[in-house]
């Protein structure tokens, strides 16, 4: 997909106030600092369309970006910051869960996980919650540039094995690096394909 335009539209914490039209949207979700906002900038080839930071907790609201005037990319706040994952409560910010439950235009959520780490309970729990709520999602492994190819391959195999303990099949997944652009073409082609299927279905 060629990107011809990418515009920030709005930020808010209330799903009811999100853009009120029928354009399809795709949302990035995952732990704080996993690289959601950086991936948006990488995909759009823009330095600071979405705000990023070395410190977790940068994105605080639901952010809509209008792409090519015909679909939205949504940047969400991270979960799991401030040792939330260690407490017994599953504290995914309420408006994040509301966004996924209520947003009719959402075509697919992409759950970002850091390719360097072992599967983390908070991510597995979030994916289980999406599954139980019948919200379709794919996985994006981020920061692939930080690992050697063999270690990356091993980690991804390990991740999919872990998921097969609870899932019958693994959802489609992508491997990306916002530093070197890996995964960009695949992810954009995939979104383009879904968008074109949605258009013909209408
Ligand atoms: P919150 O908004 O706090 O939830 O974080 P986020 O998931 O949006 O992460 P963000 O994009 O702000 O990136 C966090 C840090 O990771 C920044 O310092 C980025 O530069 C770095 N980072 C993100 N993606 C990559 C990547 O693919 N490779 C490398 N090396 N660093 C990355
Ligand atoms: Mg962010």
């Amino acid at each position: 997909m060629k990107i011809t335009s990418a515009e920030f539209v709005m930020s808010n914490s209330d799903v009811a106030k999100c853009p009120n039209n029928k354009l399809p949207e795709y949302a990035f979700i995952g732990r704080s600092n996993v690289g959601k906002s950086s991936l948006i900038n990488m995909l759009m080839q823009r330095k600071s369309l979405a705000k990023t930071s070395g410190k977790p907790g940068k994105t605080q609201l639901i952010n809509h970006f209008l792409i090519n005037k015909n679909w939205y990319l949504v940047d969400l706040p991270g979960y799991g910051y401030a040792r939330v994952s260690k407490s017994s409560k599953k504290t995914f910010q309420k408006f994040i869960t509301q966004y996924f439950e209520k947003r009719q235009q959402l075509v697919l959520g992409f759950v970002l996980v850091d390719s360097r780490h072992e599967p983390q309970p908070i991510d597995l729990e979030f994916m289980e919650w999406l599954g139980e709520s019948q919200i379709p999602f794919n996985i994006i492994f981020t920061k692939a540039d930080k690992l050697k190819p063999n270690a990356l391959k091993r980690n991804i195999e390990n991740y999919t094995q872990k998921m097969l303990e609870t899932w019958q099949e693994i959802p489609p997944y992508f491997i990306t690096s916002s530093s070197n652009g890996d995964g960009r073409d695949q992810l954009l082609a995939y979104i383009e394909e879904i968008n074109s299927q949605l258009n013909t279905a209408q």
Side-chain angles (χ1 to χ4, degrees), residues 31-38 51-59 75-78 142-146 176-179:
R31 286 162 69 98
S32 282
N33 216 41
V34 70
K36 301 173 291 295
S37 304
S38 301
K51 294 201 179 90
T52 66
S53 167
K55 287 192 206 129
K58 180 68 180 173
T59 310
D75 192 14
L76 294 168
T142 65
K143 308 194 185 186
D145 57 283
K146 294 208 176 198
T176 64
S177 163
S178 297
S179 296

Side-chain angles (χ1 to χ4, degrees), residues 5-75:
S5 66
E7 308 154 49
F8 168 73
V9 181
M10 61 162 78
S11 291
N12 68 75
S13 61
D14 182 354
V15 63
K17 294 189 185 140
C18 290
N20 183 19
N21 57 48
K22 298 249 161 63
L23 296 180
E25 68 188 48
Y26 300 81
F28 287 169
I29 184 68
R31 286 162 69 98
S32 282
N33 216 41
V34 70
K36 301 173 291 295
S37 304
S38 301
L39 184 60
I40 290 183
N41 292 336
M42 183 273 260
L43 292 173
M44 297 303 130
Q45 294 180 311
R46 293 270 296 272
K47 270 211 180 88
S48 46
L49 182 65
K51 294 201 179 90
T52 66
S53 167
K55 287 192 206 129
K58 180 68 180 173
T59 310
Q60 299 275 347
L61 296 164
I62 303 168
N63 295 283
H64 275 77
F65 298 91
L66 179 63
I67 315 302
N68 291 355
K69 312 251 184 232
N70 64 7
W71 59 282
Y72 290 109
L73 201 47
V74 178
D75 192 14

Side-chain angles (χ1 to χ4, degrees), residues 11 15 39 61 88 140 142 150 157 160 165 170:
S11 291
V15 63
L39 184 60
L61 296 164
S88 56
I140 295 177
T142 65
N150 278 342
E157 272 167 18
T160 53
E165 290 173 15
I170 304 296

